[in-house]
Amino acid sequence: MALTIYDISKKAGVSIATVSRVLNGSENVRESTREKVLSVIEKYDYTPNAFARGMGLHSLRTVGILCANSSDQFLARAVYYLEQELHANGYESLLCCTGYDLSDRQSYIRLILSKKVDSLILVGSNYVSNVEEENAYIREAAGQVPVMLLNASYNCPNVYSTLCNDYSSMFEATSSLIRAGIDDVLYLYDSNSYSGTKKLSGYKAAMKSYKLADYAPFIHYYDGPTDQIRTITSFIQEIADRGTTFHGIIASDDNLAIGAVKYAQNNGLKIPEDLAIIGYNNSMLTTCCTPELTSVDNRLENQTHQLVQTLLGVLGGEEMPAESVFSGKLIKRATTP
Amino acid sequence: MALTIYDISKKAGVSIATVSRVLNGSENVRESTREKVLSVIEKYDYTPNAFARGMGLHSLRTVGILCANSSDQFLARAVYYLEQELHANGYESLLCCTGYDLSDRQSYIRLILSKKVDSLILVGSNYVSNVEEENAYIREAAGQVPVMLLNASYNCPNVYSTLCNDYSSMFEATSSLIRAGIDDVLYLYDSNSYSGTKKLSGYKAAMKSYKLADYAPFIHYYDGPTDQIRTITSFIQEIADRGTTFHGIIASDDNLAIGAVKYAQNNGLKIPEDLAIIGYNNSMLTTCCTPELTSVDNRLENQTHQLVQTLLGVLGGEEMPAESVFSGKLIKRATTP
DNA sequence: TTGTACGCGTTATCAT
DNA sequence: ATGATAACGCGTACAA
């Protein structure tokens, strides 16, 4: 059986209160007794029982990180950065891969809240829906602990949003193609999430601002598996086969853009002369294909850092901004002129 | 303040013991009282306090998943599968990205053990070293909870290994190239971990078995960042520039193999005619490059499933196999003849 | 089948 | 500065 605070107090010849003070770095301990207690702790390699401690402090310094699928490139990176930031600040991470189903998510959250996490971090804009009722679970969770949103925004007490300005980024990306003389730009997307909607609006706005209001036939929603490039490629092939002509493709995601690169190669199209392509997320995939993919960097590392700082502030009782917005940046590589 | 078991017991007109029995599914409760208690629990949406429960049960049904970097393709997938399996069996996952430094790992493990996880899962063969003293921390951890190794093997009480037969896989991969008439096969690797060593042995054995004992100049260790394809490409370029000729490349990792594809393209080499390439892990990257990469599938999903089954058995007090070995499989794509 | 009483290992609030 | 002692909320012998 592991030692308790009582054992230590006896061996050190003090009361458990004193041991507890030493443990928690209280000022009110004479230096000599502190040293004595510490030496005993050291000697017996004593560690306080986490559960008992949790009972006292109402916290185990743990936060729940929720994401749909942690093997997705973007989400995986986000989870990694978050875990690092949290650990550096003394918090551990309970990882939950909730998938996309609403009821699964709800039960997951209920479970995780019952484990007394100090906060919930929802990674990915798919956690906030356009349908307001579907966001009820966020409000509910926010009633118990601060809820942090990464890459999404939701206005509600005790929820804090950190995101990239996807609207502007897409506006800029689209405009850059149009300015280069490409006005038949296909828009490919695979999510109607918060940020998915923003991106699409950015594309539309850019088209409109260049008097290309007839963009409807260019917009295509892909709802297949995003990690199967081949399926994506045939999806694009079908669009072309149905008669749509295009000399540019903007994708809401690097995976989709890789599919576009493959499509061009299959059809003997030169990149970027015959077909220019822009992806999103600036993931590692951008440098795996040939030619390398131009993509929007959404400052993930900055976002995760900011999110954790905000969280620490909130947990510390400070007043923190409900929304932190970063600007994306177009990283030019070889798939654009 | 949240309700306690006392509140529920009062409202239901029973003792806390009965509530506890209902909560934990004891048989010894009259059906009518069970229903009464359940209805009260339902009505007030009562959830037992996790900390108090942990104290009683000495467990919060949580396991620690350790990996060097959860944004790595391979590790990310492993973590994802593990989390899913564990959750399906009522366990939550504490994620720890420990990096590669030994002392960091040790302190991480100490911390996580103090949080009373039920088990530790070490993901990736880099957790077991060739230097025996460096594995002391595993033995130590195994003294407290069962330690599960994914993709590595270590013989020690209370540690259970699940892995792929990397030796055979590499032997087979190398042999397939030699049989295709390519006997100058470069071997690229980036890790001296347990499985890294096995892979290299497999390559050497295959070369030897075909009387190609002079393989030393073909073996190259890359110690740069594995997620920067360009650095990998120049690494290979240097090898070629220094005068080594080769018509095949086998890499211990898909990332390295992608670098090889890029190298071929930079030098106008035809794949697979001028240069055949085989990667390892059968990750998503294999279908992102052109031509698509031949790679070894190490049955990750089978491994993670088996690992969790073993863990459940161990926690249930059953006798379980200390080592479970799967066979890898060469997935032929377009970078090999 | 049900209830009582105690133990679990802390933190926190009082005194001293 | 230090020590008793009361929570904290649950599980579980043991008793009834």
Side-chain angles (χ1 to χ4, degrees):
Chain A
M1 213 47 203
L3 294 182
T4 75
I5 200 172
Y6 289 96
D7 302 319
I8 302 300
S9 74
K10 262 182 209 150
K11 293 183 195 296
V14 297
S15 76
I16 62 163
T18 301
V19 177
S20 180
R21 287 190 191 97
V22 171
L23 241 29
N24 297 294
S26 164
E27 294 294 297
N28 301 327
V29 176
R30 196 193 303 149
E31 198 47 37
S32 61
T33 48
R34 177 192 308 282
E35 280 169 17
K36 187 170 53 181
V37 171
L38 279 178
S39 77
V40 175
I41 289 177
E42 185 83 10
K43 179 176 174 188
Y44 293 94
D45 199 25
Y46 161 74
T47 326
N49 180 289
F51 300 137
R53 185 166 232 192
M55 274 192 83
L57 296 174
H58 300 290
S59 159
L60 257 180
R61 291 185 78 85
T62 304
V63 328
I65 299 183
L66 279 72
C67 68
N69 179 336
S70 67
S71 73
D72 172 274
Q73 292 259 339
F74 176 73
L75 300 177
R77 274 177 63 214
V79 167
Y80 173 70
Y81 291 137
L82 287 172
E83 195 277 343
Q84 297 284 92
E85 291 272 0
L86 289 168
H87 179 66
N89 290 284
Y91 285 86
E92 301 313 308
S93 302
L94 217 36
L95 176 67
C96 308
C97 305
T98 65
Y100 294 93
D101 182 66
L102 185 58
S103 68
D104 286 350
R105 290 179 168 189
Q106 288 174 325
S107 69
Y108 226 132
I109 288 188
R110 218 163 288 155
L111 177 67
I112 207 96
L113 283 178
S114 81
K115 299 236 173 164
K116 300 288 178 197
V117 292
D118 295 313
S119 170
L120 244 39
I121 302 180
L122 309 186
V123 182
S125 70
N126 53 78
Y127 279 97
V128 8
S129 163
N130 290 324
V131 187
E132 175 55 21
E133 303 93 64
E134 296 185 357
N135 296 325
Y137 76 101
I138 299 182
R139 309 187 86 89
E140 204 181 325
Q144 312 217 18
V145 294
V147 173
M148 316 300 293
L149 263 33
L150 183 65
N151 215 29
S153 178
Y154 186 63
N155 189 3
C156 165
N158 213 23
V159 353
Y160 298 84
S161 310
T162 310
L163 62 160
C164 170
N165 194 330
D166 294 315
Y167 172 90
S168 305
S169 303
M170 262 320 182
F171 185 95
E172 201 34 58
T174 310
S175 302
S176 78
L177 284 190
I178 302 176
R179 281 197 302 268
I182 306 170
D183 59 7
D184 47 354
V185 181
L186 212 60
Y187 185 82
L188 264 34
Y189 68 116
D190 59 5
S191 162
N192 285 304
S193 66
Y194 176 86
S195 92
T197 311
K198 292 289 183 190
K199 290 177 192 169
L200 181 52
S201 308
Y203 163 82
K204 288 181 181 173
M207 293 294 270
K208 256 187 227 154
S209 81
Y210 284 91
K211 315 293 180 200
L212 300 167
D214 194 22
Y215 47 64
F218 287 134
I219 299 176
H220 293 270
Y221 177 72
Y222 171 79
D223 71 345
T226 57
D227 57 348
Q228 286 190 22
I229 305 296
R230 231 169 281 181
T231 318
I232 298 172
T233 305
S234 13
F235 175 74
I236 302 173
Q237 187 69 55
E238 280 171 29
I239 297 172
D241 291 349
R242 271 189 260 110
T244 309
T245 344
F246 49 87
H247 293 83
I249 295 185
I250 293 202
S252 70
D253 187 287
D254 284 336
N255 298 41
L256 292 176
I258 299 278
V261 171
K262 293 277 180 180
Y263 159 80
Q265 290 167 344
N266 290 350
N267 291 270
L269 300 175
K270 272 196 184 167
I271 301 175
E273 294 81 357
D274 302 333
L275 185 62
I277 303 169
I278 299 181
Y280 209 99
N281 281 351
N282 196 30
S283 70
M284 193 200 153
L285 301 185
T286 57
T287 58
C288 287
C289 61
T290 310
E292 295 189 355
L293 186 64
T294 294
S295 183
V296 175
D297 182 357
N298 46 11
R299 319 263 188 186
L300 185 54
E301 202 163 354
N302 296 320
Q303 285 193 52
T304 52
H305 178 76
Q306 177 62 40
L307 185 149
V308 172
Q309 291 308 310
T310 305
L311 174 57
L312 294 174
V314 171
L315 291 177
E318 296 172 43
E319 198 60 42
M320 300 300 285
E323 191 174 84
S324 307
V325 182
F326 289 85
S327 291
K329 188 181 177 187
L330 189 64
I331 308 291
K332 289 228 172 203
R333 294 202 181 80
T335 58
T336 45
Chain B
M1 213 48 203
L3 294 181
T4 75
I5 199 171
Y6 290 97
D7 302 319
I8 301 300
S9 74
K10 261 181 211 151
K11 294 183 195 295
V14 297
S15 76
I16 63 160
T18 302
V19 177
S20 179
R21 286 189 191 99
V22 171
L23 240 30
N24 297 295
S26 162
E27 295 294 298
N28 302 326
V29 177
R30 197 192 301 149
E31 196 49 36
S32 61
T33 47
R34 178 192 307 283
E35 281 170 17
K36 187 169 53 181
V37 172
L38 279 178
S39 77
V40 174
I41 288 177
E42 185 83 9
K43 180 175 174 188
Y44 294 93
D45 197 25
Y46 163 72
T47 327
N49 179 289
F51 301 139
R53 184 165 232 196
M55 273 193 84
L57 297 174
H58 300 289
S59 159
L60 257 180
R61 293 185 76 85
T62 304
V63 329
I65 299 183
L66 279 71
C67 68
N69 177 337
S70 67
S71 74
D72 172 274
Q73 292 260 338
F74 176 73
L75 300 177
R77 275 177 64 214
V79 168
Y80 173 70
Y81 290 137
L82 286 172
E83 195 277 342
Q84 297 285 92
E85 291 273 359
L86 289 168
H87 179 68
N89 290 283
Y91 285 86
E92 301 312 309
S93 303
L94 217 35
L95 177 66
C96 308
C97 306
T98 65
Y100 293 93
D101 181 67
L102 184 58
S103 69
D104 285 350
R105 290 180 167 189
Q106 289 174 325
S107 71
Y108 225 133
I109 288 188
R110 219 163 287 153
L111 177 67
I112 208 92
L113 283 178
S114 82
K115 298 233 173 168
K116 300 289 178 194
V117 291
D118 296 315
S119 171
L120 243 40
I121 303 180
L122 309 186
V123 182
S125 71
N126 53 77
Y127 280 96
V128 7
S129 164
N130 290 324
V131 187
E132 176 54 21
E133 304 93 64
E134 295 184 359
N135 296 325
Y137 76 102
I138 299 183
R139 309 187 86 89
E140 203 181 325
Q144 311 216 21
V145 294
V147 173
M148 316 300 292
L149 263 33
L150 183 64
N151 216 28
S153 178
Y154 185 64
N155 190 2
C156 165
N158 213 24
V159 355
Y160 298 84
S161 311
T162 309
L163 62 160
C164 170
N165 194 328
D166 294 315
Y167 173 90
S168 305
S169 304
M170 261 320 182
F171 185 95
E172 201 34 60
T174 310
S175 302
S176 78
L177 284 190
I178 302 175
R179 281 197 302 268
I182 306 170
D183 59 6
D184 46 356
V185 181
L186 213 59
Y187 185 82
L188 264 35
Y189 68 116
D190 59 7
S191 162
N192 285 305
S193 66
Y194 177 86
S195 92
T197 312
K198 292 290 183 188
K199 289 176 191 170
L200 182 52
S201 308
Y203 163 83
K204 287 180 181 172
M207 293 294 271
K208 254 186 229 156
S209 82
Y210 284 92
K211 315 290 181 204
L212 301 167
D214 192 20
Y215 48 63
F218 288 134
I219 300 177
H220 293 270
Y221 177 72
Y222 171 79
D223 72 346
T226 57
D227 57 348
Q228 287 190 22
I229 305 296
R230 230 169 281 180
T231 318
I232 298 172
T233 304
S234 8
F235 175 74
I236 302 173
Q237 187 69 57
E238 279 172 29
I239 297 172
D241 290 349
R242 270 189 260 112
T244 308
T245 343
F246 49 87
H247 293 83
I249 295 184
I250 293 201
S252 70
D253 187 288
D254 284 337
N255 297 40
L256 292 175
I258 298 278
V261 171
K262 294 276 181 181
Y263 159 80
Q265 290 168 343
N266 290 350
N267 292 271
L269 300 175
K270 272 197 186 167
I271 301 174
E273 293 81 356
D274 302 333
L275 185 62
I277 303 168
I278 299 182
Y280 209 100
N281 282 351
N282 195 30
S283 71
M284 192 200 154
L285 301 185
T286 57
T287 59
C288 287
C289 61
T290 309
E292 295 189 355
L293 186 64
T294 294
S295 184
V296 175
D297 182 358
N298 47 10
R299 316 262 190 189
L300 184 55
E301 202 164 354
N302 296 320
Q303 286 193 53
T304 52
H305 178 76
Q306 177 61 39
L307 185 150
V308 172
Q309 291 307 311
T310 305
L311 174 56
L312 295 174
V314 171
L315 292 176
E318 297 173 42
E319 198 60 42
M320 299 300 285
E323 190 174 85
S324 307
V325 182
F326 289 85
S327 291
K329 189 181 177 188
L330 189 64
I331 308 290
K332 289 228 174 202
R333 294 201 181 81
T335 57
T336 45

